[in-house]
Amino acid sequence: MTTFSLVVVTAGTSDPSSTRLLADRTASRATTIAAGRGSSVTVTVVDLRQLATEITTAMISGLTGPKLRAAIAALAEADGVVASTPVYKAGASGLFTSFFQVLDNDLLIAKPVVLAATAGTARHALVVDDQLRSLFAYLRTVPVPTALFASTEDWNDPALNKRIDRAALELVVLMESGFAAAIRDESWHNYQHEFGSAGGAELTIDLDSDLMKLATGGSAH
């Protein structure tokens, strides 16, 4: 039996949180669907409320705290991601966007992602497709076709469960395809990487060359 690693990233700030609930429902459906197809899913939750201070520190100084490092490590090993944010003032949560902005640009290449958002009114329904898809396109992920959005009135609407089912199935099928692993194994060199991205594993830079010594303030001789 194949086991997939699914990471849920949630930026909900209340407890209980509708943002977390939407993400958990999606992860639960993905787990059930995968089981019905002969696979299993392990779920890791990254609650951004607990990382707020470390995310701010990383943005200001570039220093990464232990909780943030653990979240990054989980995402590096993930076969799929569910990313869920509340909507504030017609935009995604600043905590949510800040977290993904401090990640290495190469961390999520080709990984399938379910994009989800919650708000108090349906007027914010386009935030997922208008804002989140552009962010995750920049990170070179593969968002599933079905976007998830839940306003206050949606929670008792059977249509929400149908959308969750669609998104969860799309996620499972993409994880089963092995697309992300194939891209990393066979086409990694075709991407423009930043120095040190993905732990530097994809780079063959000679740090002992005269040029690199000069670049780091040393002497070529």
Side-chain angles (χ1 to χ4, degrees):
M1 176 183 291
T2 303
T3 300
F4 297 107
S5 173
L6 176 60
V7 174
V8 169
V9 179
T10 173
T13 55
S14 59
D15 188 14
S17 163
S18 61
T19 303
R20 171 70 183 271
L21 176 60
L22 181 59
D24 284 347
R25 280 195 185 181
T26 306
S28 177
R29 286 299 298 143
T31 300
T32 300
I33 290 170
R37 295 167 64 89
S39 303
S40 65
V41 174
T42 60
V43 178
T44 301
V45 177
V46 176
D47 188 341
L48 298 186
R49 290 181 306 169
Q50 301 174 5
L51 303 179
T53 301
E54 292 189 12
I55 291 170
T56 301
T57 299
M59 292 194 72
I60 294 172
S61 66
L63 299 176
T64 307
K67 292 180 181 179
L68 183 55
R69 285 198 299 271
I72 291 171
L75 285 170
E77 297 299 321
D79 298 298
V81 179
V82 176
S84 185
T85 179
V87 175
Y88 299 124
K89 299 185 185 301
S93 159
L95 180 61
F96 180 87
T97 55
S98 295
F99 172 72
F100 285 101
Q101 286 166 355
V102 301
L103 298 182
D104 190 291
N105 287 345
D106 296 341
L107 185 68
L108 300 176
I109 287 177
K111 293 182 187 287
V113 182
V114 174
L115 302 178
T118 61
T121 171
R123 290 182 298 169
H124 297 306
L126 290 178
V127 166
V128 180
D129 287 320
D130 184 55
Q131 297 184 26
L132 298 191
R133 283 195 186 276
S134 59
L135 170 61
F136 283 83
Y138 180 82
L139 294 172
R140 294 169 290 186
T141 66
V142 182
V144 305
T146 300
L148 297 178
F149 175 83
S151 61
T152 302
E153 59 268 25
D154 287 325
W155 292 103
N156 293 321
D157 187 345
L160 175 60
N161 288 331
K162 290 182 179 180
R163 294 198 301 273
I164 290 173
D165 284 348
R166 288 207 316 264
L169 176 60
E170 292 162 359
L171 177 65
V172 169
V173 171
L174 282 169
M175 289 193 297
E176 289 175 345
S177 74
F179 178 74
I183 292 299
R184 192 174 188 87
D185 292 343
E186 301 177 31
S187 188
W188 196 252
H189 61 283
N190 290 323
Y191 292 87
Q192 182 177 353
H193 303 288
E194 295 180 354
F195 175 71
S197 63
E202 77 291 348
L203 299 175
T204 55
I205 295 176
D206 182 5
L207 298 179
D208 292 324
S209 68
D210 289 346
L211 180 61
M212 288 302 295
K213 289 178 180 178
L214 290 171
T216 55
S219 172
H221 303 287

